[in-house]
Amino acid sequence: MKIKNIKWTLMVVLATASISFASCEDEPDKYESTTATPSINYIRPVDIVSKDSLLTSASMSSTICLVGNNLRSIKELDFNDQKAVLNTSYITDNTLIVTVPKTIPSTVSDKLYAITTKNDTIPYDFKVIVPAPTISSMSNEWAAANETVTITGDYFLDYSNYPLSIKVGDDYTLPKTAIQSITKTGITFTMPSDVPTGKNFYITTKYGATKAAFQYKDKRGMLFDFDTPWNGVNVLGNHGWHTQKIQKDGSSLSGNYLMLGDADMTKDGAWNDGNFSFEYWAGTLNNTFDADGPKLNDVADFADWQNKSIKFEMYVPSSNPWCAAPMQVIFAGTDKVTLPTANSNFFHSGDGWGRALYMPWNNDNLSYDTGGKWITVTIPLSDFNKDWDGNAAKKSFTSIGDFASLTIFVTTGSYDSKTVIPTGKDCHPIIKIDNIRVVPNK
């Protein structure tokens, strides 16, 4: 028994020693840098199927393979002025796999730089592909001359050797002196007095040019400018139960505007159609359709409505912020509302007819104003998918005939107390609206 224990102990000691000896031996696959001068022969994709393809450029965050000699002497790799992360597990003498940095370069040289263990720098022509600008919106598409406006989007990149430029239409370039600031996601500028109207904006950077969907002082698909009586092109305004104020004053954007509110609103957005509802209902009292009340789908083009939006300019003064109830924006066909037959059931008929619910006050402060400025509001027609009470709608548009009439009603609706619309705060809002139009999204 004792002998067996001695033998067992000896075996354990020998095994341990052998492990120790093995650990002291050199690791044959251990990465070791070198001091030889590296060279890059070409760059290819990592995908083995595409290994014979040569790359002269790659997108941010893509993975590529450098092929050359003495690549283990590279200790740092920069794309333009952005350092890549090197993983020695993917570096051999002849290949180096690396991911292009996802950070946009501050200085563009269209080169990568291999920095060696001897601190030599070896340049290689290679472009990092950054997306062309994306353009989302402009703060006020009907801005007056000398007004400060902001275009929002992404990849607004301005380099001293590749400056960003803004054009309006084909022939007008925004003066550089008009631009106040440029960030990756926003361009703020002063609107010059000579900008052509009815033209699209174009933004060009080193990485491409992009056409904005919007136009300056866009009159396409104009339904209500509140200035021009019906003449086969324009619609004046009120054409339903209520006659809301259509007026002009020192705050006007472009002539007359529609005013909603200037009355008390409870925190739960209780019904107050007298001050908060604007209607345009197609037709006449004898139930015909003529110049007295043309269908809106005869005024503007609603074809391809899935890819269009309703837009308007809005002004909410800071003295009278909007703090409760959504703006219910409702298009409807003549089967749902005509002037001689309309009644309150149209707003909350219970058949699940879709409308848009716009409530910018639903924020941390439960309050919204436009900061003393007119702003452009955009609501895609694809967002007309809510019912009176905020729940999902059961029905939506099926033809251009569903766009004969328009109702804008600031109120909170409910079926059997099942509303999902948030509660706001008591308020006395003023909501000014101008230039209601339907335009393409692209």
Side-chain angles (χ1 to χ4, degrees):
M1 192 73 178
K2 187 174 182 180
I3 294 174
K4 292 175 72 175
N5 285 341
I6 292 173
K7 289 181 177 180
W8 177 251
T9 302
L10 181 60
M11 291 174 64
V12 171
V13 170
L14 290 173
T16 303
S18 64
I19 293 173
S20 299
F21 291 143
S23 64
C24 292
E25 294 178 359
D26 291 339
E27 299 176 31
D29 297 326
K30 180 181 179 181
Y31 178 84
E32 290 184 356
S33 60
T34 67
T35 59
T37 301
S39 63
I40 301 172
N41 297 335
Y42 60 89
I43 298 175
R44 64 169 176 82
V46 174
D47 182 8
I48 192 67
V49 176
S50 306
K51 69 177 183 177
D52 294 330
S53 301
L54 302 184
L55 299 177
T56 58
S57 62
S59 301
M60 294 184 299
S61 299
S62 61
T63 302
I64 59 176
C65 180
L66 281 60
V67 179
N69 298 295
N70 302 318
L71 300 185
R72 285 193 297 157
S73 64
I74 296 175
K75 70 172 184 178
E76 181 180 324
L77 197 62
D78 296 345
F79 291 77
N80 295 303
D81 58 357
Q82 299 299 314
K83 184 183 298 185
V85 176
L86 296 183
N87 186 334
T88 57
S89 298
Y90 300 118
I91 303 176
T92 69
D93 275 335
N94 301 113
T95 60
L96 186 156
I97 296 175
V98 65
T99 298
V100 179
K102 64 180 179 180
T103 305
I104 295 171
S106 300
T107 302
V108 178
S109 62
D110 289 333
K111 293 181 183 294
L112 63 80
Y113 301 94
I115 300 170
T116 73
T117 53
K118 294 191 295 185
N119 291 320
D120 295 327
T121 299
I122 299 173
Y124 187 87
D125 291 338
F126 193 79
K127 294 183 178 181
V128 175
I129 300 174
V130 177
T134 59
I135 306 173
S136 302
S137 62
M138 188 162 77
S139 56
N140 182 3
E141 296 176 14
W142 276 73
N146 299 316
E147 182 176 336
T148 298
V149 294
T150 298
I151 294 177
T152 58
D154 205 351
Y155 300 107
F156 298 148
L157 306 178
D158 184 47
Y159 301 110
S160 57
N161 54 339
Y162 296 102
L164 176 147
S165 67
I166 302 174
K167 293 184 69 174
V168 186
D170 295 330
D171 303 319
Y172 182 89
T173 300
L174 192 77
K176 198 72 174 178
T177 54
I179 299 176
Q180 299 178 16
S181 65
I182 300 175
T183 67
K184 179 174 175 288
T185 57
I187 305 170
T188 299
F189 63 96
T190 303
M191 185 67 71
S193 59
D194 58 347
V195 177
T197 62
K199 303 292 184 180
N200 293 85
F201 282 74
Y202 297 81
I203 297 179
T204 301
T205 71
K206 169 181 169 55
Y207 302 105
T210 302
K211 175 184 176 182
F214 53 81
Q215 297 182 352
Y216 180 50
K217 295 192 174 180
D218 196 351
K219 292 187 177 181
R220 296 173 299 166
M222 186 65 73
L223 300 176
F224 305 91
D225 64 8
F226 302 111
D227 295 312
T228 312
W230 169 250
N231 64 356
V233 177
N234 302 293
V235 175
L236 174 61
N238 294 299
H239 198 257
W241 280 340
H242 303 96
T243 304
Q244 298 297 356
K245 292 179 180 178
I246 295 175
Q247 60 190 29
K248 180 179 180 180
D249 57 29
S251 70
S252 292
L253 174 68
S254 58
N256 293 319
Y257 63 83
L258 164 72
M259 189 174 78
L260 299 177
D262 198 15
D264 290 340
M265 169 74 74
T266 62
K267 64 182 181 180
D268 57 358
W271 182 293
N272 180 355
D273 56 321
N275 293 86
F276 290 95
S277 181
F278 164 76
E279 308 97 20
Y280 178 84
W281 292 338
T284 60
L285 290 175
N286 63 2
N287 204 27
T288 61
F289 296 100
D290 54 32
D292 183 53
K295 291 176 283 188
L296 294 181
N297 51 281
D298 290 333
V299 175
D301 181 10
F302 283 88
D304 193 29
W305 69 85
Q306 301 92 335
N307 295 305
K308 292 186 176 180
S309 296
I310 183 172
K311 288 190 175 188
F312 52 87
E313 276 62 54
M314 182 175 72
Y315 182 102
V316 179
S318 56
S319 59
N320 294 83
W322 180 9
C323 304
M327 179 184 291
Q328 305 215 10
V329 186
I330 313 165
F331 281 107
T334 56
D335 60 323
K336 291 192 174 296
V337 54
T338 56
L339 191 58
T341 61
N343 56 65
S344 62
N345 289 335
F346 167 66
F347 298 120
H348 53 90
S349 61
D351 66 353
W353 182 247
R355 78 283 309 274
L357 301 184
Y358 175 61
M359 44 185 168
W361 54 267
N362 186 28
N363 51 43
D364 291 341
N365 297 322
L366 294 179
S367 181
Y368 177 78
D369 64 79
T370 58
K373 296 182 178 181
W374 286 86
I375 58 106
T376 297
V377 175
T378 302
I379 307 175
L381 295 183
S382 59
D383 286 354
F384 281 59
N385 55 12
K386 295 293 187 292
D387 200 348
W388 164 257
D389 59 358
N391 288 290
K394 299 175 183 177
K395 300 179 181 179
S396 188
F397 312 124
T398 59
S399 72
I400 61 173
D402 291 326
F403 297 94
S405 299
L406 174 68
T407 301
I408 299 176
F409 191 7
V410 184
T411 189
T412 297
S414 178
Y415 298 125
D416 301 323
S417 299
K418 294 181 180 178
T419 184
V420 295
I421 298 171
T423 299
K425 298 189 297 188
D426 292 346
C427 55
H428 190 102
I430 290 175
I431 304 171
K432 302 178 182 182
I433 295 173
D434 203 356
N435 299 323
I436 302 174
R437 56 198 183 277
V438 172
V439 299
N441 294 337
K442 295 182 180 180

